Each structure stands twice: as structure tokens, then as C-alpha cells.
Amino acid sequence: MSDADARTLRAGRRSVAIQRPGKVLFPGGGGAKEYTKGDLADYYRRIAPCLLPHLRGRPLMLERYPDGVDGQRFMQKNTPEHYPDWIERVEVAKEGGTVTHVVCGDTATLLYLADQACLTLHRWLSRTDRAGGADHPDRLVFDLDPAGDDFARVREAAGWLRELLDELELPAAPMTTGSRGLHLVVPLNGRHDFDEVRRFAHDVAEAAVSRHPDRLTTAARKQDRGDRLYLDVQRNAYAQTAVAPYTVRARPGAPVAVPLAWEQLADPGLDARRWTIADAADQARTDPWAGLPQRGRALGPARRRLADIRS
């Protein structure tokens, strides 16, 4: 098949054409493997059963690279008019108006987005199809962002933050970002608005910093961090996004953001780019977040426990 041909993939009752499936999106070299648009579509079709539960009902910001990762990047919020009618959309408020985001609830949509060279899916932390809607997140995310590429520092910080969250009786699940760091995801009950959640996340991060001031920081300015790991809670705000579990990142070798079981963090060989589109589906089959409670937690009890810890 030539690079100019289309390849049709079946997804449920729909057939989705992948234009120019041989187009290279991830050039090889330097030890990295080459991957094409067809490879991206195959990965998203394969991972769909594990990925879609993390996307349904959530507005998406799409990170697109029509000319591959070495070309121009497009961060797409508003849904183009030419997208098919069967692509789900949701209109949400923004300052001075509204914006209509794509919502991905099925494999056909995933494949269509792959054809659009959408590598990374950035999801809202709220669901528009649940009580409370877009204003009330059901996920809280701590983004552990190291100063360099030292994942040992990330693993260390994740352990400290987990200890604190255990004291607050809040379950959390780790996920590699496919870039440099790690996300800790806390399921919420969706009854608190973004301002409440972000304030709480900031207070938790400050409590962690107070215990390890030489290793952790909440300083937003890079020049103020030194070599300390940054505990970023800014994603816990209205209209902010976080990379979705099992999404591909725009880096050499097509690394993937992958959920982990806590015991996997003990592996000294682990790093944020451990899995790629070649093997992320194997990790997904282990269901690493199986122990995470289905019902999210309220923040009231945790807030009171945090106040006792900080007093």
C-alpha cells in the first residue's frame, strides 16, 4: 500500500478511513523506533477498551501533529465544522462565551482522531454527563514534575505524597506521564467545585513540602525551584486538562502515559517513558488500578484531617 492510499478500519457499526497510513509521525533514530499514522490508529483501536472509560463524558483538548512530531503542533479545543456529525461534542462556558469540545466515547471517534494526527488526548477532570457537570471535578491530580530527568526523585516524592494521602484516608493511583514525571490521581465524588478542589490540592502539596522542604516545592516559577521536584496542582482548575491514561505522547519512540500499581514504583528501572505504543496494551491487561474505589471521596473529612496534621 502506498503512502497516499487510505486504509479502512471497522469500529462497531462504523468504518473509519485512515488517510495516508504510512505517513511517519514518529521518526526513528537515536535508538527510537519509527511509527506511522497506521501504527497510531492500530494502537488506539487496541487500547480502546482500557482508554475509553477514562474519556467518556469529558471535554478533550487535542494535541495534533499533522506533519509528525518534528512538525508544527496544534492544540485544538474547539471542534472543527468538518468533523462528522457522529462525533460527540459538548459546549462549555469560557470567559466571554463558550467553546465546543470533542468528547470521545467510542472506538470510531478514537480512530477518527488518530486520522487527524491527534497524538495526545488531554482530558478535563470533570464530566459533563454527571450531576454537577463541568464545574465539579471527579478527579484530583497531583503532577510530580522533576527538575531534570531523574525518575528516582519522582518515585521518592510519590512515596511521600502517598503517605500523606493515606493519613488523609484518600486513595490515589499513580500514572507515568510518558514524558518526565508522574501523576497521582485521586477519585472524588464530584460534589466540590474546581476552586474548592484546587485549594485543597494546594494545601496538601504545601503540607508535603513542609515535610521535605529540601526536596519538594510548590514554586510556580522555575527559577525559584532549584533542583527540587515541583508539586504542580494547577491542573485542578476549571478548563484545565491532564493527559489521559493510555494516551500517546509526542516524543521520540511514541511513549504512552500508563497507569501503575503502587508496587511497580519500587522498580529502580522504571521511568516515565517505560511503555510505548508497542507494549502499553500489555500493561493495561494487568488492570493496575483495579484496587481504586469506584466511588470517589468527599473532601470534607480529608480537609479536617489535614487541618489536624498542619496544626
Side-chain angles (χ1 to χ4, degrees):
M1 180 179 289
S2 72
D3 190 52
D5 291 334
R7 174 181 165 208
T8 300
L9 296 178
R10 190 73 182 170
R13 293 177 294 175
R14 301 194 186 280
S15 295
V16 181
I18 306 299
Q19 307 291 335
R20 302 182 66 198
K23 181 176 180 61
V24 174
L25 297 181
F26 297 88
K33 187 176 178 180
E34 176 184 287
Y35 292 104
T36 66
K37 188 196 286 189
D39 294 327
L40 180 71
D42 287 340
Y43 167 73
Y44 274 131
R45 183 167 64 164
R46 189 166 62 250
I47 203 67
C50 301
L51 170 57
L52 290 172
H54 298 287
L55 300 181
R56 290 191 177 104
R58 301 182 189 277
L60 297 178
M61 180 170 67
L62 310 177
E63 186 175 350
R64 298 178 53 222
Y65 290 81
D67 296 315
V69 295
D70 291 338
Q72 187 174 358
R73 179 181 73 163
F74 295 89
M75 301 300 290
Q76 179 179 309
K77 294 183 179 181
N78 211 27
T79 307
E81 292 183 3
H82 67 80
Y83 275 29
D85 291 342
W86 51 264
I87 298 286
E88 185 181 354
R89 299 155 167 83
V90 65
E91 186 176 7
V92 294
K94 69 172 184 177
E95 186 175 357
T98 62
V99 60
T100 301
H101 288 264
V102 166
V103 177
C104 183
D106 56 35
T107 304
T109 301
L110 270 181
L111 294 178
Y112 183 85
L113 296 178
D115 180 60
Q116 299 293 300
C118 175
L119 306 187
T120 307
L121 305 167
H122 301 261
R123 65 172 184 166
W124 280 40
L125 301 182
S126 58
R127 292 184 60 149
T128 58
D129 60 348
R130 297 285 174 86
D135 297 321
H136 291 72
D138 67 346
R139 295 288 183 270
L140 182 158
V141 172
F142 295 97
D143 183 2
L144 281 59
D145 184 9
D149 209 9
D150 184 357
F151 201 72
R153 288 278 188 100
V154 179
R155 293 168 51 240
E156 175 186 61
W160 291 334
L161 197 52
R162 185 192 186 189
E163 290 175 4
L164 179 54
L165 292 171
D166 282 348
E167 292 176 45
L168 302 178
E169 298 184 18
L170 288 176
M175 181 185 80
T176 65
T177 62
S179 180
R180 294 190 311 170
L182 191 80
H183 285 180
L184 295 190
V185 181
V186 178
L188 304 178
N189 64 5
R191 297 180 182 175
H192 309 278
D193 65 25
F194 272 103
D195 288 341
E196 293 177 273
V197 171
R198 184 171 57 172
R199 269 196 308 272
F200 175 78
H202 180 266
D203 290 344
V204 172
E206 288 290 355
V209 169
S210 71
R211 293 180 174 184
H212 307 280
D214 296 331
R215 306 287 276 186
L216 305 176
T217 182
T218 57
R221 290 159 52 95
K222 286 187 177 182
Q223 55 265 45
D224 295 333
R225 299 176 197 167
D227 64 352
R228 294 174 295 174
L229 181 139
Y230 176 40
L231 294 181
D232 184 1
V233 299
Q234 298 307 313
R235 301 182 189 283
N236 301 287
Y238 181 81
Q240 297 300 304
T241 60
V243 293
Y246 301 113
T247 198
V248 180
R249 303 307 304 274
R251 296 179 66 104
V256 173
V258 170
L260 303 174
W262 276 107
E263 54 267 25
Q264 289 179 284
L265 280 179
D267 180 1
L270 180 69
D271 66 59
R273 300 181 294 279
R274 160 64 182 79
W275 287 276
T276 72
I277 64 173
D279 58 7
D282 296 332
Q283 165 71 359
R285 278 194 287 270
T286 68
D287 197 7
W289 286 1
L292 199 63
Q294 293 298 308
R295 293 174 62 92
R297 298 294 174 84
L299 289 182
R303 191 182 291 118
R304 291 189 288 274
R305 294 184 188 102
L306 183 60
D308 290 340
I309 289 171
R310 301 181 76 186
S311 62

